[in-house]
């Protein structure tokens, strides 16, 4: 019973701390005077001159190009990772088959394996 009360108090304290930090962050965001406007909203385009808008559009296009490059690179990495995982799975399967073969040969007295891993052919 004592452990349950301690756990309940700890849960209440942690929940309270998280809730308090969320309130503080929300209040800070609401009172922030230096907020940024959405770059493609009509209000921001109307308020800013045409040179700034075209500069912003160029920067947006450049960033979108970078995002596309990063996405293409991520797809390459995902494909390479899948290939490596497939190869690892195949190698593990082959290793298991070799271990089974060695165990079979050893159990039938055809080979003997010492503590250092040396394999001796005993033959019958």
């Amino acid at each position: 019973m004592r452990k349950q009360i301690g756990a309940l108090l700890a849960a209440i304290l942690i929940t309270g701390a998280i809730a308090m930090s969320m309130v503080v962050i929300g209040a800070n965001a609401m009172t922030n005077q230096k907020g940024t406007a959405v770059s493609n909203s009509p209000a921001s385009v109307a308020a800013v001159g045409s040179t700034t808008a075209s500069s912003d559009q160029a920067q947006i296009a450049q960033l979108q190009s970078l995002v596309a490059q990063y996405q293409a690179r991520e797809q390459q990495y995902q494909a390479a990772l899948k290939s490596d995982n497939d190869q690892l799975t195949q190698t593990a399967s082959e290793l298991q088959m070799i271990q089974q073969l060695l165990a079979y040969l050893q159990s039938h007295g055809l080979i003997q394996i010492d503590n250092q891993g040396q394999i001796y052919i005993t033959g019958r």
Side-chain angles (χ1 to χ4, degrees):
M1 187 68 169
R2 213 164 192 25
K3 289 181 182 180
Q4 292 175 343
I5 293 173
L8 181 64
L9 287 175
I12 290 172
L13 286 174
I14 291 170
T15 304
I18 291 173
M20 185 62 76
S21 63
M22 289 174 61
V23 168
V24 169
I25 290 171
N28 186 20
M30 288 177 57
T31 59
N32 186 4
Q33 298 297 322
K34 296 182 181 182
T36 56
V38 177
S39 63
N40 60 354
S41 70
S44 67
V45 172
V48 181
S50 65
T51 58
T52 306
S54 64
S55 172
D56 287 347
Q57 292 298 325
Q59 187 176 10
I60 289 170
Q62 182 182 12
L63 291 173
Q64 287 174 338
S65 172
L66 282 173
V67 167
Q69 289 175 9
Y70 289 142
Q71 287 174 339
R73 194 174 304 156
E74 181 186 4
Q75 288 177 349
Q76 290 174 349
Y77 290 151
Q78 291 291 338
L81 183 61
K82 183 184 180 319
S83 172
D84 290 346
N85 281 335
D86 291 346
Q87 185 178 3
L88 182 62
T89 301
Q90 181 181 357
T91 303
S93 175
E94 291 172 2
L95 178 62
Q96 185 179 14
M97 288 181 355
I98 291 170
Q99 288 173 338
Q100 289 173 351
L101 176 63
L102 288 174
Y104 176 82
L105 293 174
Q106 188 175 16
S107 69
H108 284 77
L110 298 174
I111 63 170
Q112 188 175 20
I113 303 173
D114 65 7
N115 292 339
Q116 277 80 32
Q118 296 287 331
I119 299 174
Y120 301 102
I121 300 174
T122 57
R124 286 188 178 170

